[in-house]
Amino acid sequence: MTAKTRASRAGASTDRIEKRVVLRAPRARVWRAISDATQFATWFHVKLDGAFVEGIVTRGQTTEKGYEHLKIEMQVQRIEPERYFAYRWHPYPIDPKVDYSNEPTTLVEFTLEEAAEGGGTAVTIVESGFDRIPLARRAEAYRMNDGGWSGQIKNLERYVA
Amino acid sequence: MPVFAALADTTRLRLLRRLSAEGPLSITRLSEGTGVTRQAITRHLYALGDVGLVRRARKGREQIWDLNAKRLGIARRYLDQVAAQWDVAAARLKALVEGPEAG
């Protein structure tokens, strides 16, 4: 896997996940894939009801096999063309019977820059705010997602091999 | 207090590391060499206990504290899992932008 993830296991940084990935594609191309809701939907495996607009909630559902019933809501925070895109959401709402709307959200940020490493575009993805998500929720998400995600990762390994 | 906030304090982290390295310990032992009063250490242990990260037990007349390993594992595995989901998503983003762009 080319993507590297840092999920620090101690201290304040357990609140966030940070990932940096270098893409062999021009910045404008990467920006479209992230900020255009239609393109975002294809790689994020969701179906969305509208474009991304600052201050507006984009609603949709996942298209992940077996999880099609799950609704998602992306509260778009900031759009800075070809540089920065941020939204808040309820991380992985896995139980359709539970109303997550009163629970805290996490912040997802995409930052784009020119890659120093032989051209291309570096994308940093940060998801933060896990401190505020109740432990019971995380335990439940872990329990319910485990099988599904192990399968996903196997698929991915086949795909990139 | 959310579990990750309980982990964000250096004294509490130090207490967890010692319990993790040395096993169950009394408050007296946990206070030694910390420069922090027994009362403060006790408060920190109760804060960790409230979010289920440590457990209180009794050994003779002394109170001892131990890690609640199961609870710690949940918080950690959840983050690992979210990180794995981003790995998968980022790989799909890479495949999309490095391939031909659809009209």
Side-chain angles (χ1 to χ4, degrees), chain B residues 70-100:
Chain B
K70 200 173 156 206
R71 192 87 189 228
L72 268 178
I74 287 170
R76 211 159 56 202
R77 282 197 304 265
Y78 175 80
L79 260 203
D80 287 347
Q81 187 184 50
V82 174
Q85 287 170 320
W86 277 114
D87 275 327
V88 175
R92 288 195 301 236
L93 169 64
K94 188 176 173 70
L96 178 75
V97 298
E98 292 182 357

Side-chain angles (χ1 to χ4, degrees), chain A residues 21-33 112-115 118-123, chain B residues 93-99 101:
Chain A
V21 56
V22 175
L23 307 171
R24 291 187 306 273
R27 202 148 136 184
R29 171 74 193 99
V30 176
W31 177 251
R32 281 195 298 279
L112 278 59
E113 58 198 339
E114 301 297 325
T121 306
V123 180
Chain B
L93 169 64
K94 188 176 173 70
L96 178 75
V97 298
E98 292 182 357
E101 189 165 1

Side-chain angles (χ1 to χ4, degrees), chain B residues 34-101:
Chain B
T34 58
V36 180
T37 64
R38 276 178 60 108
Q39 287 77 8
I41 293 291
T42 306
R43 268 202 309 277
H44 283 303
L45 286 167
Y46 275 98
L48 289 168
D50 283 347
V51 295
L53 292 172
V54 299
R55 282 184 298 212
R56 192 162 46 116
R58 196 167 281 282
K59 192 170 155 193
R61 272 187 304 172
E62 217 177 12
Q63 220 174 69
I64 57 155
W65 290 79
D66 194 7
L67 279 188
N68 189 353
K70 200 173 156 206
R71 192 87 189 228
L72 268 178
I74 287 170
R76 211 159 56 202
R77 282 197 304 265
Y78 175 80
L79 260 203
D80 287 347
Q81 187 184 50
V82 174
Q85 287 170 320
W86 277 114
D87 275 327
V88 175
R92 288 195 301 236
L93 169 64
K94 188 176 173 70
L96 178 75
V97 298
E98 292 182 357
E101 189 165 1

Side-chain angles (χ1 to χ4, degrees), chain A residues 1-3 5 7-12 14 17 19 22-25 29-30 32-34 39 42-45 64 87 91-92 108 110 125 127 130-131 135 138-139 141-142 145-146 149 152-153 156 159, chain B residues 1-10 13 17 51-53 70-103:
Chain A
M1 212 172 287
T2 50
T5 302
S8 176
R9 294 187 166 198
T14 46
I17 280 165
K19 169 184 301 297
V22 175
L23 307 171
R24 291 187 306 273
R29 171 74 193 99
V30 176
R32 281 195 298 279
I34 292 170
Q39 293 199 23
T42 63
W43 65 268
F44 206 70
H45 284 194
E64 205 70 71
Y87 64 89
Y92 312 103
V108 177
F110 294 87
I125 305 170
E127 182 166 9
F130 293 105
D131 269 6
L135 184 72
R138 292 183 298 218
Y142 175 71
N145 273 342
D146 190 36
W149 278 102
Q152 278 287 337
I153 289 163
L156 175 73
Y159 182 70
Chain B
M1 179 176 6
V3 66
F4 287 150
L7 287 169
D9 178 274
T10 51
L13 261 185
R17 285 205 197 99
V51 295
L53 292 172
K70 200 173 156 206
R71 192 87 189 228
L72 268 178
I74 287 170
R76 211 159 56 202
R77 282 197 304 265
Y78 175 80
L79 260 203
D80 287 347
Q81 187 184 50
V82 174
Q85 287 170 320
W86 277 114
D87 275 327
V88 175
R92 288 195 301 236
L93 169 64
K94 188 176 173 70
L96 178 75
V97 298
E98 292 182 357
E101 189 165 1

Side-chain angles (χ1 to χ4, degrees), chain A residues 72-128:
Chain A
I72 64 164
E73 278 188 11
M74 298 167 62
Q75 309 159 15
V76 178
Q77 305 291 300
R78 213 163 79 207
I79 300 174
E80 291 174 28
E82 299 201 10
R83 204 198 74 77
Y84 181 84
F85 174 65
Y87 64 89
R88 305 197 69 95
W89 74 334
H90 297 286
Y92 312 103
I94 32 77
D95 188 344
K97 294 191 290 294
V98 173
D99 175 15
Y100 294 101
S101 54
N102 291 322
E103 284 191 4
T105 52
T106 52
L107 176 68
V108 177
E109 299 165 283
F110 294 87
T111 306
L112 278 59
E113 58 198 339
E114 301 297 325
E117 307 90 329
T121 306
V123 180
T124 306
I125 305 170
V126 175
E127 182 166 9
S128 59

Side-chain angles (χ1 to χ4, degrees), chain A residues 37 41 46-52 55-62 70-76 101:
Chain A
V46 288
K47 202 162 79 189
L48 296 171
D49 70 355
F52 294 139
I56 300 287
V57 175
T58 304
R59 290 187 173 77
Q61 62 194 82
T62 90
L70 297 178
K71 292 187 173 64
I72 64 164
E73 278 188 11
M74 298 167 62
Q75 309 159 15
V76 178
S101 54

Side-chain angles (χ1 to χ4, degrees), chain B residues 6-28:
Chain B
L7 287 169
D9 178 274
T10 51
T11 304
R12 290 196 289 272
L13 261 185
R14 231 171 15 232
L15 289 170
L16 287 174
R17 285 205 197 99
R18 278 202 65 194
L19 290 173
S20 163
E22 300 171 48
L25 290 171
S26 66
I27 290 178
T28 311

